[in-house]
Amino acid sequence: MDEYAGFAYYYDLYYSDVTTDNPFYLEIIRQVGVDPHILELACGTGRLLIPLVEAGYRVTGLDLSDEMLERAHNKLTALPVQAQARTRLLKGDMRYPRTVLGSEKFEIVILGFNTFQHMYDDEDQIACLENARDMLSTQGVFVLAMDNSTPDEEPANKLTELYGVMHDPERQSTVTLMVSTTDFPHHQIRTRRYMYYERLPGGNNDLVCNTTLKLRYFYADELKNLLEKVGFKIVESYGSYYFEEYAAESPRIIYICQKAEPEQA
Ligand SMILES: C[S@@+](CC[C@H](N)C(=O)[O-])C[C@H]1O[C@@H](n2cnc3c(N)ncnc32)[C@H](O)[C@@H]1O
């Protein structure tokens, strides 16, 4: 099911300017060296993927949503042909990526921006992580990043917040994003209802997008256990995109992993 259907345009309006994690990934990639082929799982509209391509890397992006991929594709076609030539955008499910990618291997696999939180049950979590591990080259690196925010301490039931007021240059309108959050702490689930209101010049505020996303929250230790269970070793863990050490109050949980056992020749 494409949870982002009808949401891609508005997702980009709010998130395309969010670049806080870009320098982090560029530094991790630089450290890996060796002209890496990068796979971004759930690349969405290319918020991260496009800057990686622009930095000169070979990147494959996989996503389940036609609408999100279409926006990524439109951004890609605005880049020079050499950049387009080293980029692939593929429709596929990160739980079963081999359907599209066969036995391909990558030096870097990225699953960032809270997207693993779309893996709601154990089966999906394991399938996704096992495939991420199997798609790594021998010394390949997997980066898993998400917010460090577990709902059971501060249940945010029906908390509605103003996320932002944006100018939509395409429609010359003002768009206001309100987000209503509901926690289900016993299931480690949080739902976020994204309500975008548009005001055209001289007009009223109209609700133009109303999408609810479900997120499965993880504890850092829980995630570490999952990663180790599927055959990763954690080589670094960070609590922010500024390479700060992870602590319980850190804003992010970021694990840099490699295969625990190198492959048999
Ligand atoms: C929060 S967005 C992140 C997009 C992008 N990685 C970024 O950093 O902006 C989550 C993305 O995950 C995709 N997605 C959700 N479940 C998926 C799945 N099972 N397989 C592939 N993509 C999936 C959605 O279509 C959406 O584009």
Side-chain angles (χ1 to χ4, degrees), residues 4 11 40 42-44 47 63-65 68 92-94 113 115:
Y4 286 72
Y11 177 93
E40 190 191 359
C43 62
R47 186 196 61 84
D63 201 282
L64 198 56
S65 166
M68 297 293 270
D93 193 315
M94 62 184 168
F113 218 50
T115 307

Side-chain angles (χ1 to χ4, degrees), residues 25 41-42 94 109-113 115-116 128-129 142-145:
Y25 287 108
L41 293 171
M94 62 184 168
V109 176
I110 296 171
L111 179 48
F113 218 50
T115 307
F116 188 64
C128 173
L129 294 180
F142 174 53
V143 186
L144 182 65

Side-chain angles (χ1 to χ4, degrees), residues 137-151:
S137 61
T138 309
Q139 295 300 324
V141 165
F142 174 53
V143 186
L144 182 65
M146 66 187 68
D147 289 349
N148 183 24
S149 164
T150 41

Side-chain angles (χ1 to χ4, degrees), residues 159-189:
L159 176 72
T160 300
E161 294 162 286
L162 171 67
Y163 264 37
V165 180
M166 298 146 278
H167 173 66
D168 181 347
E170 257 180 73
R171 291 176 48 83
Q172 288 299 312
S173 61
T174 304
V175 177
T176 303
L177 170 59
M178 303 292 295
V179 178
S180 173
T181 303
T182 306
D183 287 343
F184 302 89
H186 299 301
H187 301 280
Q188 286 177 238
I189 293 287

Side-chain angles (χ1 to χ4, degrees), residues 12-241:
D12 246 2
L13 204 56
Y14 183 71
Y15 288 105
S16 59
D17 287 344
V18 177
T19 55
T20 37
D21 51 350
N22 294 7
F24 174 82
Y25 287 108
L26 288 169
E27 176 56 21
I28 296 286
I29 295 164
R30 192 194 63 76
Q31 288 173 13
V32 170
V34 298
D35 182 26
H37 187 185
I38 301 165
L39 169 66
E40 190 191 359
L41 293 171
C43 62
T45 63
R47 186 196 61 84
L48 172 66
L49 179 138
I50 295 291
L52 300 186
V53 174
E54 286 178 312
Y57 293 110
R58 286 182 295 148
V59 190
T60 294
L62 183 91
D63 201 282
L64 198 56
S65 166
D66 286 321
E67 286 182 34
M68 297 293 270
L69 281 172
E70 190 187 338
R71 292 196 69 79
H73 183 258
N74 290 343
K75 292 176 196 172
L76 186 62
T77 51
L79 298 188
V81 283
Q82 298 91 326
Q84 294 182 39
R86 57 175 183 267
T87 310
R88 278 184 311 174
L89 292 171
L90 303 171
K91 182 174 180 180
D93 193 315
M94 62 184 168
R95 293 167 296 179
Y96 325 109
R98 298 217 167 270
T99 319
V100 217
L101 290 165
S103 56
E104 255 186 271
K105 303 272 183 192
F106 298 85
E107 281 72 41
I108 301 178
V109 176
I110 296 171
L111 179 48
F113 218 50
N114 301 331
T115 307
F116 188 64
Q117 294 183 337
H118 286 304
M119 300 289 95
Y120 310 117
D121 56 47
D122 297 0
E123 209 178 300
D124 289 348
Q125 291 155 20
I126 298 281
C128 173
L129 294 180
E130 276 183 347
N131 278 296
R133 181 208 58 205
D134 289 348
M135 289 188 300
L136 283 184
S137 61
T138 309
Q139 295 300 324
V141 165
F142 174 53
V143 186
L144 182 65
M146 66 187 68
D147 289 349
N148 183 24
S149 164
T150 41
D152 54 353
E153 281 136 32
E154 290 175 51
N157 282 320
K158 302 262 190 263
L159 176 72
T160 300
E161 294 162 286
L162 171 67
Y163 264 37
V165 180
M166 298 146 278
H167 173 66
D168 181 347
E170 257 180 73
R171 291 176 48 83
Q172 288 299 312
S173 61
T174 304
V175 177
T176 303
L177 170 59
M178 303 292 295
V179 178
S180 173
T181 303
T182 306
D183 287 343
F184 302 89
H186 299 301
H187 301 280
Q188 286 177 238
I189 293 287
R190 167 171 286 180
T191 60
R192 281 215 175 99
R193 183 171 167 209
Y194 293 82
M195 293 162 287
Y196 288 82
Y197 295 88
E198 180 184 51
R199 189 163 53 77
L200 287 159
N204 296 319
N205 269 313
D206 291 320
L207 182 62
V208 285
C209 176
N210 184 357
T211 293
T212 300
L213 293 181
K214 179 175 153 188
L215 299 169
R216 162 69 158 83
Y217 276 80
F218 293 89
Y219 296 93
D221 281 350
E222 179 191 13
L223 214 46
K224 179 172 178 282
N225 291 339
L226 256 176
L227 287 162
E228 288 173 350
K229 182 174 169 181
V230 302
F232 279 116
K233 68 175 176 204
I234 291 162
V235 290
E236 291 288 355
S237 52
Y238 299 110
S240 76
Y241 292 119

